[in-house]
Amino acid sequence: MDGRYWDGPAARREGGTLDVKKEQPDKEKTIAATGATARDRRELRRMYDDVVQEPVPEDFLELLRKIDASKSKKDETT
């Protein structure tokens, strides 16, 4: 058991003590991770906004038209 996780029963089974301390992350690592996460969110948002602004491809629009026409014909026969 390396001390990162608290598992009292496992410590007993493995013959260890129950005073296993959880590792405390360094403040600097926490701050860096938080900054990276915020940057990642901003970048993902920017990428999403770019994709949303792109026009729908003509092939996709044609496929949607065919589906709509097929549904219309099906509705007319029922």
Side-chain angles (χ1 to χ4, degrees), residues 32-51:
T34 303
T37 303
R39 279 193 309 273
D40 294 343
R41 282 194 305 261
R42 283 192 302 269
E43 182 63 19
L44 285 171
R45 172 55 73 179
R46 187 194 63 75
M47 290 171 58
Y48 174 79
D49 289 342
D50 289 347
V51 170

Side-chain angles (χ1 to χ4, degrees), residues 24-41:
Q24 296 297 321
D26 293 334
K27 190 173 186 177
E28 294 167 1
K29 288 181 184 177
T30 303
I31 292 169
T34 303
T37 303
R39 279 193 309 273
D40 294 343
R41 282 194 305 261

Side-chain angles (χ1 to χ4, degrees), residues 36-78:
T37 303
R39 279 193 309 273
D40 294 343
R41 282 194 305 261
R42 283 192 302 269
E43 182 63 19
L44 285 171
R45 172 55 73 179
R46 187 194 63 75
M47 290 171 58
Y48 174 79
D49 289 342
D50 289 347
V51 170
V52 168
Q53 297 300 320
E54 292 179 8
V56 178
E58 188 58 39
D59 294 344
F60 190 74
L61 292 173
E62 183 59 34
L63 181 60
L64 291 173
R65 287 185 202 107
K66 288 179 181 178
I67 291 170
D68 287 341
S70 173
K71 285 183 180 180
S72 294
K73 287 180 184 177
K74 201 182 252 187
D75 290 342
E76 290 174 5
T77 60
T78 54

